[in-house]
């Protein structure tokens, strides 16, 4: 689940090449110096799991 409450199934994620979380969005509204997302996540990159 993203910080703003959108659930992204594991099957829809991609492995992050730099080991950090990244979210790609489409659209948005400028609110001050921050772009507030207006649509569901387009893609989510996550660190490679360590088992």
């Amino acid at each position: 689940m993203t910080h703003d409450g959108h659930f992204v199934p594991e099957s829809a994620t991609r492995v992050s090449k730099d080991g950090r979380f990244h979210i790609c969005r489409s659209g948005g509204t400028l609110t001050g110096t921050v772009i507030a997302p207006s649509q569901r996540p387009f893609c989510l990159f996550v660190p490679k799991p360590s088992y």
Side-chain angles (χ1 to χ4, degrees):
M1 184 169 293
T2 63
H3 68 283
D4 56 357
H6 290 288
F7 176 77
V8 180
E10 184 178 356
S11 61
T13 64
R14 302 177 191 180
V15 176
S16 171
K17 293 183 180 182
D18 66 1
R20 298 175 67 187
F21 286 90
H22 301 277
I23 190 164
C24 308
R25 300 247 186 204
S26 178
T29 305
L30 185 61
T31 55
T33 59
V34 176
I35 297 176
S38 63
Q39 297 180 12
R40 297 185 66 200
F42 178 72
C43 61
L44 179 64
F45 291 87
V46 298
K48 186 176 181 178
S50 58
Y51 298 101

